Amino acid sequence: MSGNAPGPKSHRGRKRWIGRGLLWMIASVFVVSGGLRVVETAGLARATETTHAAVQSGPNETQDCPSEPGLMAFLADLKAREAKLIEKEGLLSDRSNAVALAEARLENRLQDLISAEQALAKTVAIADGAADEDVARLVALYENMKPKQAAPLFEEMAPDFAAGFLGRMRPDAAAAVMESLDPKKAYAISVLMAGRNAGAPSD
């Protein structure tokens, strides 16, 4: 039995073999780990290059790509709306110009009417002044006439017209003419003159 039992040398050999096996296993793990890192680094580099290439070539490819039907329809709609807005803007501009032209014409007409009214007022004032002068002359003429000569003229006048002249004449001259008139005519003229003076203020 002593001949079959392992000796000290065999135990040492086994220990060395086991130790070498462990070293090889550890070395293999390091080698595999390093290889994986190299592979991952290479993959990341390729992915980065691919990304850069895609970014650089992206705009050119986008420009070369045909537009989608929806996008083209949207652009066409925008252009149509822009054209309508431009057309409406032109119409509004034309209307504004027409309104401004109409306002200018109305302003000119208004100025013409104002000028005509002023001229008419001057003419009326002149006519009124001339009429007053004429009436004043007639009154002076009737005052200087003899009552018997003036009475037939007042007989032919309407009562209100005769009352107007007699009201402007001197009281003594008017009284002399009234005495020479027909009593009915003189009464009618007296009533009119009294009615005109009824509303006159008294001192």
Side-chain angles (χ1 to χ4, degrees), residues 85-141:
L85 288 175
I86 293 173
E87 183 179 0
K88 289 181 179 179
E89 185 178 0
L91 292 175
L92 289 176
S93 179
D94 293 340
R95 290 179 182 177
S96 299
N97 294 333
V99 169
L101 182 60
E103 289 179 353
R105 291 179 178 176
L106 288 175
E107 184 66 23
N108 293 333
R109 286 294 303 275
L110 181 60
Q111 293 298 327
D112 293 339
L113 289 176
I114 292 174
S115 300
E117 184 179 2
Q118 292 175 351
L120 179 61
K122 291 179 180 179
T123 303
V124 171
I126 293 172
D128 290 341
D132 290 338
E133 290 178 0
D134 293 339
V135 171
R137 289 175 183 175
L138 286 174
V139 169
L141 178 64

Side-chain angles (χ1 to χ4, degrees), residues 151-175:
L153 298 175
F154 280 90
E155 289 283 352
E156 298 296 329
M157 294 181 188
D160 56 346
F161 194 70
F165 278 108
L166 290 171
R168 288 172 176 252
M169 293 172 62
R170 293 190 315 271
D172 58 336

Side-chain angles (χ1 to χ4, degrees), residues 6 10 12-13 26 34 47 50 53 55 64 71 92 109 115 128 149 153 155 168 176 184 187 197-198:
S10 61
R12 292 176 182 174
I26 292 171
T50 304
V55 170
D64 296 335
L71 181 59
L92 289 176
R109 286 294 303 275
S115 300
D128 290 341
Q149 294 176 346
L153 298 175
E155 289 283 352
R168 288 172 176 252
K184 293 182 179 179
Y187 176 76
N197 296 326

Side-chain angles (χ1 to χ4, degrees), residues 50-63:
T50 304
T51 303
H52 284 298
V55 170
Q56 292 177 356
S57 62
N60 295 328
E61 293 178 359
T62 303
Q63 293 177 357

